[in-house]
Amino acid sequence: MGVTVLLPYQIPEGKTGAQAIDYLTKRLLALGAIHTGQFLVDCETYISTPQHGPAKTVHVLHDSEYPASTFSILDNGAGKQIPLVADNLFDLLMLKMTSVYTSKKQTKIESKGARFEYGDFLIKLGSVTMMENFKGILIEIEYRPCVVLSYCWEMIRETLQGFLGMPIAKEYPAYFSQQIMNTMGQQQIHTKQNEVYEPIDTINQYLESFTNYRKQNVLPVAGGATGGASSAQNAAANMQGGNQRMR
Amino acid sequence: MEKLNSTLGAVRSLRSSVRQCFEQLADGTNAELAEDSRTKFLLKFQENFNNMNAQLREVESLINGLQAPQTPYCLGQTTYLAQETAPERQALYSQLVNSYKWIDKVHDHSFLAFNNLNQNNLRRSYVYCSQKRVRIPFTSCNNFDPDHTDKLLSEINLPLTSYQVCRPFGSNVVVIVTISRVLKAAIVCKGVLIEWVTVKGFDETLDPDDLWAESRYEVFRKVQEHTHIAMLHFFSPTLPDLAIKSYMTWLHSYSKLFLEACKRCGKFVSNGLPPTWRDLRTLEPFHEECRNC
């Protein structure tokens, strides 16, 4: 178990999601990475019924890297998140609690794709889908021997630049630079990049990205605005179609 | 020691006179011989008997004069020979004592010879020999007493590093070194000589009972190879303390294993690995491939 960085990949103009994944896969294999199977991270969200006070949300996540665990994060609506790591039986417990927590089926979101190993690096190219709709690409990179991000961020950055072919900012990713509250409610000087990394940090990063993708889904419908990964992809598909017809 | 020696001598002479007396008794007298030879035999026996008594008293008085030694004799590593269960190896102790005596004698003789030869001004070689140099080879570095090893290890104190000393194999030390939050290393010593090093990741378990299992990460397997190279490089039987201190300083340079770029190519990652080699003198980081070019 080592430090993991999750990075949403901006699909280049004029490419579909599948093409972008293909392109990245080719670059990874050329770099010397070895394809080692598939992975899947999924997230389901449950909302408490109104008769039980203010609305609370429970996000239940599974990660194929930790097949025996179910991760859940309880959001009390006031900005406080309580993580819980349990056995797989937790899923059955959630089924029993339908009177308190109801599942929002239409928001079930997952990221799945190929898993690569490059030395001690673990690289996963995940395509995010919600209700069978493609939403974007999430790149997960893990450096397994190291447990503190600030020690190995430069290594991770260099590897990422190596196969993405684009510059990555020198600063730590946003998730790691947030301040940690200690038990007294005071902000600590230490930020997350200097802490020992835990599997729940990976899950938190996934949840953050998934939440962003869900918001993207709401925005175009509400405001009718174009933009976001899905519309860009549609445009790209149209262009491609046009190209084919021309040939 | 002298008293003990004289007591042992007295016991020996007592045994010989007892033997003499019984031999004489066993021989007996010739039945046909005259009366005076019988009295002669009796007188001889009485003389022997008195002799024996006197010697017995002497032995007793000598034994009373003996004192128990204040401190038990330090037998060093040889005490573990008593725990040997294989019958063919139980005779090792007497062989050991013999060879010890032999070495002692060699040392004495060589010392005398050295003194004699030193008086001779005609030198055949230019090798400088002094009184001091005689003693150095006599300190064998794989047979230090445990206190010395403890003291030596407690003197090593590098930042961000913790040392845990344990002795799973008798008096020999295994030091578990945790460097920053980067790696753990188990250093198996014989006396103060390093015999083996195992390197593992910070999140892996390093059990003193299983020191031969390799790390699951490629980078630490590579680092372990390099620690073995350094182990041979820093080996110095004449100055074992300095050797172990320099080795620890070198090993400590791995606290920035993932943080430093290679000095030659300026990159962090090469073939999926960080710069795993540290220069033995300057402690600068290099990739394995960059190190020799």
Side-chain angles (χ1 to χ4, degrees), chain A residues 23-38:
Chain A
Y23 168 74
L24 290 176
T25 308
K26 264 182 204 151
R27 291 196 70 137
L28 270 175
L29 293 175
L31 193 69
I34 303 157
H35 185 257
T36 52
Q38 303 292 316

Side-chain angles (χ1 to χ4, degrees), chain A residues 15 19 33 37 39 43 46-47 79 135 178 181 193 214 231:
Chain A
K15 272 192 180 176
Q19 279 173 332
F39 85 100
C43 171
Y46 297 82
I47 291 181
K135 308 292 288 182
Q178 59 188 314
M181 301 287 240
Q193 77 242 18
R214 280 174 183 164
S231 45

Side-chain angles (χ1 to χ4, degrees), chain B residues 211-274:
Chain B
L211 293 172
W212 281 264
E214 285 193 324
S215 168
R216 84 175 91 108
Y217 304 122
E218 196 182 336
V219 51
F220 294 119
R221 290 199 292 269
K222 195 58 92 184
V223 170
Q224 179 168 331
E225 271 175 35
H226 295 327
T227 57
H228 289 184
I229 296 173
M231 175 174 88
L232 299 177
H233 173 84
F234 287 111
F235 174 78
S236 158
T238 45
L239 294 166
D241 292 15
L242 184 69
I244 203 158
K245 276 181 191 165
S246 353
Y247 187 79
M248 289 301 193
T249 313
W250 178 83
L251 191 66
H252 178 256
S253 65
Y254 278 108
S255 62
K256 288 188 172 174
L257 175 62
F258 307 119
L259 267 176
E260 293 178 320
C262 170
K263 278 278 166 198
R264 192 167 300 274
C265 66
K267 293 259 184 294
F268 283 91
V269 188
S270 164
N271 284 336
L273 291 171

Side-chain angles (χ1 to χ4, degrees), chain A:
Chain A
M1 197 280 305
V3 175
T4 307
V5 173
L6 197 65
L7 192 80
Y9 178 67
Q10 197 72 46
I11 300 169
E13 289 278 326
K15 272 192 180 176
T16 60
Q19 279 173 332
I21 294 262
D22 258 5
Y23 168 74
L24 290 176
T25 308
K26 264 182 204 151
R27 291 196 70 137
L28 270 175
L29 293 175
L31 193 69
I34 303 157
H35 185 257
T36 52
Q38 303 292 316
F39 85 100
L40 169 71
V41 179
D42 64 58
C43 171
E44 207 169 335
T45 300
Y46 297 82
I47 291 181
S48 67
T49 45
Q51 58 263 41
H52 291 93
K56 290 181 195 144
T57 329
V58 177
H59 305 281
V60 180
L61 293 104
H62 300 92
D63 187 344
S64 58
E65 207 65 32
Y66 306 99
S69 307
T70 296
F71 300 88
S72 61
I73 293 163
L74 173 70
D75 197 330
N76 70 352
K80 196 175 177 192
Q81 293 194 326
I82 303 157
L84 172 77
V85 185
D87 273 0
N88 278 337
L89 282 175
F90 188 80
D91 294 334
L92 301 177
L93 186 70
M94 284 311 283
L95 289 179
K96 292 262 182 218
M97 287 177 34
T98 40
S99 57
V100 187
Y101 284 106
T102 47
S103 162
K104 276 174 78 182
K105 278 284 178 223
Q106 65 275 22
T107 58
K108 191 169 190 302
I109 188 165
E110 62 181 27
S111 166
K112 69 174 172 186
R115 180 180 184 276
F116 297 89
E117 278 179 28
Y118 172 56
D120 289 317
F121 285 97
L122 196 63
I123 301 160
K124 296 170 186 170
L125 304 177
S127 39
V128 184
T129 47
M130 189 162 91
M131 301 288 294
E132 310 291 315
N133 289 325
F134 178 78
K135 308 292 288 182
I137 294 173
L138 271 178
I139 295 171
E140 183 191 327
I141 177 164
E142 176 175 354
Y143 188 60
R144 288 176 296 170
C146 190
V147 289
V148 181
L149 178 84
S150 61
Y151 291 179
C152 62
W153 168 238
E154 282 299 323
M155 286 183 69
I156 291 180
R157 202 175 135 238
E158 200 178 284
T159 312
L160 273 174
Q161 285 177 344
F163 76 89
L164 293 181
M166 61 184 195
I168 304 283
K170 220 173 159 48
E171 290 79 41
Y172 298 115
Y175 175 75
F176 292 93
S177 36
Q178 59 188 314
Q179 303 274 321
I180 300 170
M181 301 287 240
N182 64 9
T183 43
M184 305 292 284
Q186 294 160 328
Q187 285 205 332
Q188 281 183 325
I189 311 144
H190 275 296
T191 44
K192 237 184 164 58
Q193 77 242 18
N194 293 322
E195 297 287 308
V196 172
Y197 195 87
E198 305 278 345
I200 194 76
D201 290 322
T202 309
I203 297 303
N204 274 328
Q205 289 187 68
Y206 264 106
L207 183 62
E208 221 169 70
S209 296
F210 283 159
T211 314
N212 286 342
Y213 280 121
R214 280 174 183 164
K215 277 183 196 153
Q216 268 178 16
N217 185 40
V218 178
L219 270 175
V221 177
T226 49
S230 55
S231 45
Q233 186 213 336
N234 288 340
N238 289 339
M239 272 172 70
Q240 195 194 18
N243 285 346
Q244 274 173 352
R245 254 173 266 132
M246 273 165 79
R247 277 184 215 132

Side-chain angles (χ1 to χ4, degrees), chain B residues 42-52:
Chain B
L42 207 62
L43 275 174
K44 190 84 193 277
F45 172 70
Q46 262 173 355
E47 191 193 318
N48 273 341
F49 193 73
N50 284 338
N51 223 353
M52 250 163 64

